[in-house]
């Protein structure tokens, strides 16, 4: 691939190749030396037009560990504030010859549009409610390491599906890997056409979590609910917040996932989030660095091949 804009265009073999490479970076990151010079001589620019803790930090760390020159654009202090467009901003940076652009943007499709205008590799770090491909990949790596496979699992994705790019990337990825996906949440937060995505839809946690191998919780994305229905947090927690009683419906060895940021007491009980026997939330963060190293490594190989041709 020239870019990593979403999971949708990826072939299962490409996903497996990336996850296999990421496994090797997990080992590197756990060792005393955390460096491999595969991006030496390349310039990585991180452009985050929306807040981030995990994704931005892990892309920065991943680039540094692979030897790239890493620049974090402070988008809040950029000339975007003076009215410069996304495309003009991208063209300006493109003129400085970056090799990898990592972009997060609040609008669905903005990163794909930007990728058409530049002559370097672009990675989507989350665009609106469209896709968050490296999150889907890091979730897959976490599941594969915990469950030993990605096929024939029952994965319950619970909460605000309507506004979630994480849900969409996971649905694409787990569907390609032939797992069974259940979307669980209130009718107002699951798109009416969701069944066309090849998933089951449940509106109560008791049915949705029954015999699940993986329980993936999502937060209410209030920043994307402008003008729409916003549920009361108290009622939401009662009906859809993951607590011990609801989790008891899943398989005894089911893992609990959350992409973060987490709202304790809203979509998940704090004791479940901290239960090291069930929750893999911190492992997800660890896998994030390895997956982003693997993604940039593979894109850089492709970039070098194209430039050499
Ligand atoms: N999961 C995720 O994208 O987290 P951040 O918004 O903190 O990057």
């Amino acid at each position: 691939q020239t870019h990593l804009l979403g999971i949708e265009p990826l072939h299962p073999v490409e996903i497996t190749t990336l996850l296999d490479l990421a496994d090797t970076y997990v080992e590197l990151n756990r060792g005393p030396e955390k460096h491999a010079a595969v991006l030496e001589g390349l310039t990585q620019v991180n452009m985050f037009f929306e807040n981030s803790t995990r994704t931005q930090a892990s892309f920065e760390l991943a680039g540094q560990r692979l030897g790239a020159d890493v620049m974090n654009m402070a988008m809040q202090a950029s000339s975007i504030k003076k009215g410069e467009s996304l495309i003009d901003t991208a063209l300006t940076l493109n003129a400085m010859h970056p090799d990898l652009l990592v972009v997060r943007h609040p609008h669905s499709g903005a990163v794909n549009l930007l990728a058409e205008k530049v002559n370097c590799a672009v990675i989507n770090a989350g665009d609106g409610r469209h896709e968050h491909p490296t999150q889907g990949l890091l979730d897959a790596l976490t599941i594969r390491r915990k469950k030993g496979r990605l096929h024939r699992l029952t994965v319950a994705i619970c909460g605000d599906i309507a506004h979630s790019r994480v849900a969409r990337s996971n649905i694409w990825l787990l569907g390609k890997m032939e797992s069974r996906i259940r979307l669980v949440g209130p009718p107002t937060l699951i798109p009416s056409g969701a069944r066309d995505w090849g998933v089951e839809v449940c509106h109560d946690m008791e049915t949705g979590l029954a015999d699940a191998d993986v329980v993936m919780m999502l937060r209410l994305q209030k920043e994307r609910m402008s003008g729409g229905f916003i549920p009361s947090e108290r009622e939401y927690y009662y009906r859809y917040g993951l607590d011990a009683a609801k989790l008891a419906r899943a398989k005894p060895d089911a893992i609990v996932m959350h992409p973060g940021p987490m709202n304790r007491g809203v979509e998940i009980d704090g004791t479940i989030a901290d239960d090291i026997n069930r929750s893999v939330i911190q492992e997800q963060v660890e896998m994030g660095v390895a997956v982003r190293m693997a993604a940039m490594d593979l894109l850089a190989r492709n970039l070098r091949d194209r430039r050499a041709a």
Side-chain angles (χ1 to χ4, degrees), residues 9-22:
L10 299 184
H11 189 277
V13 171
E14 292 176 299
I15 293 170
T16 302
T17 300
L18 193 148
L19 297 183
D20 291 347
L21 181 60

Side-chain angles (χ1 to χ4, degrees), residues 142 146-147 212-215 242 247 250-257 268 270-283:
T142 308
K146 289 288 173 187
K147 294 286 164 197
D213 297 287
V214 176
V215 179
L242 185 66
L247 183 57
K251 284 189 180 155
D253 62 349
I255 56 170
V256 174
M257 305 182 74
I268 190 167
T271 54
I272 301 281
D274 296 335
D275 179 355
I276 55 167
N277 295 314
R278 308 303 294 270
S279 165
V280 296
I281 294 169
Q282 298 310 320
E283 281 95 330

Side-chain angles (χ1 to χ4, degrees), residues 73-275:
M73 284 288 295
M75 300 318 302
Q76 295 303 317
S78 74
S79 288
I80 289 269
K81 293 284 170 199
K82 301 176 193 167
E84 190 163 43
S85 70
L86 170 68
I87 297 305
D88 283 335
T89 305
L91 291 174
T92 301
L93 287 169
N94 192 52
M96 299 181 200
H97 301 290
D99 303 291
L100 291 154
L101 277 184
V102 178
V103 187
R104 170 169 287 190
H105 200 279
H107 295 144
S108 304
V111 184
N112 292 57
L113 182 67
L114 185 148
E116 290 170 11
K117 309 288 178 187
V118 297
N119 43 25
C120 62
V122 176
I123 303 180
N124 181 359
D127 63 324
R129 64 183 77 181
H130 173 225
E131 280 233 35
H132 191 350
T134 55
Q135 181 71 46
L137 289 160
L138 77 87
D139 289 341
L141 185 62
T142 308
I143 295 170
R144 197 175 76 165
R145 290 173 69 96
K146 289 288 173 187
K147 294 286 164 197
R149 66 183 197 277
L150 286 172
H151 61 280
R152 285 190 291 107
L153 293 169
T154 299
V155 181
I157 305 178
C158 310
D160 179 3
I161 310 296
H163 302 98
S164 176
R165 55 198 178 210
V166 175
R168 282 166 179 74
S169 287
N170 269 295
I171 291 166
W172 277 118
L173 196 154
L174 294 165
K176 285 174 192 282
M177 295 306 189
E178 299 181 3
S179 267
R180 176 179 177 189
I181 302 161
R182 261 189 227 139
L183 304 183
V184 190
T188 45
L189 294 178
I190 299 186
S192 54
R195 285 191 175 83
D196 298 342
W197 302 344
V199 299
E200 298 165 36
V201 173
C202 295
H203 297 305
D204 69 276
M205 292 285 274
E206 288 66 29
T207 314
L209 266 56
D211 294 322
D213 297 287
V214 176
V215 179
M216 191 180 290
M217 301 308 299
L218 301 172
R219 76 183 167 92
L220 293 172
Q221 300 190 46
K222 292 182 180 172
E223 71 274 24
R224 297 190 221 291
M225 292 183 188
S226 57
F229 171 74
I230 301 182
S232 106
E233 290 186 353
R234 218 176 131 105
E235 187 184 348
Y236 185 82
Y237 180 69
Y238 176 71
R239 297 197 57 188
Y240 294 102
L242 185 66
D243 58 16
K246 295 188 188 99
L247 183 57
R249 300 283 297 174
K251 284 189 180 155
D253 62 349
I255 56 170
V256 174
M257 305 182 74
H258 194 306
M262 188 164 41
N263 294 120
R264 292 169 185 255
V266 181
E267 74 273 11
I268 190 167
D269 177 63
T271 54
I272 301 281
D274 296 335
D275 179 355

